[in-house]
Amino acid sequence: MFEPVLLKNIEMPDSHLLSTYEAGGGYQALAKALHTHTPDEIIDLVKQSNLRGRGGAGFPTGMKWSFVPKNADKPKYLCCNADEGEPGTFKDRIIMERDPHQLIEGMAISSYAIGAQTAYVYIRGEYTLAIRRLEQAIVEAEAKGYLGRRILGSDFSFVVHIHCGAGAYICGEETAMLDSLEGKRAQPRLKPPFPAVEGLYASPTVINNVETLACVPHIVMRGPDWFCGIGPSKSPGPKLYCLSGQVQKPGLYELPMGIPLRELVEDHAGGPRPGHRIKAVIPGGVSAPVIPEPGLDVGMDFDSLAGVGSMLGSAGVIVIDDSTCMVKVATRIIEFFHHESCGKCTPCREGLNWVVKVLRRVEAGQGTPGDLQQLEALCKGIFGNTFCALGDGAAMGLRASLAHFQNEFIAHIEEGRCPFQ
């Protein structure tokens, strides 16, 4: 039986308060880190745990921390990516609203490891309750000596600032987020240099997701072997899965990394609505390519999903049943990416605009026989030719829809209407 780790406190009364967090062992990991481990030892612990970033890319967290120069002549920063703009994703919001001290403790330990004394939480402005809870948690932590100067009697000093974004999806991209923090228009930067060397204010910066940072205190307290014992060896640990769409029990589920997608959807989330069957599932937010129902026997981890042409992404699992038109789904997704494109690079700005026009024509029953070939050509022109992964995600998702549900696109063109109406 799997024991919740990241969500163990959320059902408790006043779970967001420091007193509740301390009663469950909160901030003991911070004390252990500061008094019994050097910063390099904390980095080694996280490396041994094989914790991979929960924000989408799945990059090894300890390795990312080790890229920060040891003797930099500029201050180092930790940035927590709490923008969570991926449609179908709501896991970080729950942590910040109901257990904010878990995030703050994770940020404090992570900053100690990389030598940062200042951290920023970049959070989407719509998360008003999460913002209030984080602000309250910071005040509580400062009053008890978990933040501020010489934390818990150590030589480590650390402060956390909250920066509210304006709801731009592009700010989920780490370098666009850094530009926004600096007061600039949020647009991705050309890499290299990478943020670990030249990030916020041209200083060494580590950027981690909320869920990633929340894992750190548990690794420090229970050890990397415990963490590696949960899920597959290449992608271990507990994982938060966001279930939404046409399923009986939508919600947030904490389960081991690598759980089969079919088990997640049919057993934990109750399967499709009565009288319907599952047509497809988007496993990692709308930037992840769709998986048809026959392919649901795949593990929900980075490597397994990559092996079937999709990705774990933010683990925003969106279930689609047989009542839904996949042309409509593809059109709405591309409309979203087109709207959220920052416009910096031509393939994304112009390519997605063109794709939206073609898809809208096909959806309206006004498509032509050459439209599918044109869509394929547009995806080829976008993929791999943009500053960030926004264009890549849009192209990958559309290509998967065209490949798996080509018959529905053809039906729209040949019949001159949507067969689901």
Side-chain angles (χ1 to χ4, degrees):
M1 184 68 178
F2 177 73
E3 174 191 352
V5 178
L6 303 176
L7 302 183
K8 67 178 183 178
N9 295 328
I10 66 168
E11 297 300 332
M12 296 181 182
D14 297 324
S15 63
H16 61 287
L17 297 180
L18 176 58
S19 57
T20 305
Y21 189 64
E22 287 179 318
Y27 289 107
Q28 292 182 12
L30 177 59
K32 181 179 180 181
L34 295 180
H35 296 305
T36 66
H37 292 289
T38 65
D40 285 343
E41 287 173 346
I42 297 296
I43 293 175
D44 287 339
L45 281 177
V46 175
K47 279 185 176 180
Q48 293 169 33
S49 74
N50 202 13
L51 170 63
R52 296 176 65 172
R54 296 334 197 208
F59 193 82
T61 303
M63 185 179 297
K64 178 184 282 191
W65 291 1
S66 68
F67 292 157
V68 175
K70 299 295 183 184
N71 298 312
D73 57 359
K74 294 182 178 181
K76 302 171 185 176
Y77 296 100
L78 173 70
C79 291
C80 172
N81 187 344
D83 188 64
E84 197 162 51
E86 186 72 26
T89 311
F90 43 87
K91 58 188 178 65
D92 296 342
R93 174 173 64 88
I94 300 301
I95 292 176
M96 292 185 288
E97 288 180 356
R98 302 190 188 180
D99 201 359
H101 285 282
Q102 182 178 205
L103 172 60
I104 291 173
E105 184 175 20
M107 292 179 68
I109 296 171
S110 304
S111 295
Y112 171 68
I114 65 172
Q117 295 188 358
T118 304
Y120 292 88
V121 179
Y122 189 97
I123 183 170
R124 57 191 301 106
E126 299 93 331
Y127 279 4
T128 54
L129 178 58
I131 293 166
R132 291 201 304 269
R133 291 278 170 84
L134 280 171
E135 289 173 342
Q136 178 184 4
I138 289 171
V139 171
E140 287 185 314
E142 288 175 342
K144 288 294 292 284
Y146 299 126
L147 292 178
R149 294 194 54 79
R150 299 185 61 83
I151 295 172
L152 299 177
S154 71
D155 293 330
F156 176 59
S157 299
F158 176 60
V159 294
V160 178
H161 302 286
I162 297 175
H163 184 101
C164 300
Y169 176 79
I170 194 64
C171 290
E173 198 281 331
E174 60 180 18
T175 60
M177 183 189 75
L178 294 179
D179 269 12
S180 181
L181 275 169
E182 292 177 3
K184 304 171 185 174
R185 180 178 179 179
Q187 290 187 325
R189 301 175 181 177
L190 185 64
K191 294 181 284 189
F194 292 94
V197 176
E198 188 174 316
L200 186 65
Y201 307 124
S203 300
T205 306
V206 165
I207 303 156
N208 285 134
N209 167 266
V210 171
E211 184 185 355
T212 309
L213 293 165
C215 289
V216 173
H218 304 285
I219 294 171
V220 172
M221 283 303 297
R222 304 175 73 168
D225 291 341
W226 160 80
F227 194 83
C228 289
I230 302 172
S233 60
K234 292 184 178 180
S235 302
K239 184 74 190 78
L240 301 183
Y241 302 99
C242 313
L243 269 291
S244 64
Q246 293 158 323
V247 68
Q248 293 194 56
K249 295 190 293 183
L252 183 63
Y253 294 82
E254 181 180 2
L255 294 160
M257 183 77 85
I259 185 173
L261 179 55
R262 188 180 300 279
E263 178 184 341
L264 181 64
V265 170
E266 295 185 353
D267 296 345
H268 296 279
R273 301 172 298 169
H276 294 276
R277 60 176 180 81
I278 295 173
K279 177 188 284 188
V281 176
I282 298 173
V286 297
S287 58
V290 66
I291 298 177
E293 189 279 334
L296 298 188
D297 297 304
V298 60
M300 285 291 288
D301 61 81
F302 298 102
D303 301 305
S304 298
L305 285 168
V308 297
S310 190
M311 58 185 182
L312 181 63
S314 61
V317 181
I318 304 171
V319 180
I320 303 166
D321 71 20
D322 55 2
S323 68
T324 302
C325 171
M326 294 304 296
V327 177
K328 183 176 182 179
V329 171
T331 303
R332 297 298 171 269
I333 290 174
I334 297 298
E335 285 176 340
F336 169 80
F337 283 120
H338 173 235
H339 180 269
E340 295 296 333
S341 172
C342 74
K344 180 170 184 174
C345 45
T346 304
C348 185
R349 181 185 66 246
E350 303 299 331
L352 291 179
N353 181 52
W354 198 351
V355 171
V356 165
K357 291 179 179 178
V358 175
L359 283 173
R360 284 175 175 169
R361 189 170 67 238
V362 172
E363 185 189 4
Q366 300 170 0
T368 63
D371 281 345
L372 300 189
Q373 289 76 17
Q374 186 178 43
L375 288 171
E376 286 283 0
L378 287 167
C379 288
K380 184 177 180 181
I382 296 169
F383 186 82
N385 296 315
T386 56
F387 271 90
C388 76
L390 187 150
D392 288 350
M396 288 171 59
L398 180 56
R399 276 178 162 174
S401 296
L402 290 169
H404 297 306
F405 300 99
Q406 188 180 67
N407 60 317
E408 293 191 23
F409 287 86
I410 293 173
H412 277 71
I413 294 171
E414 292 182 347
E415 298 177 22
R417 65 179 183 86
C418 175
F420 289 85
Q421 292 179 345

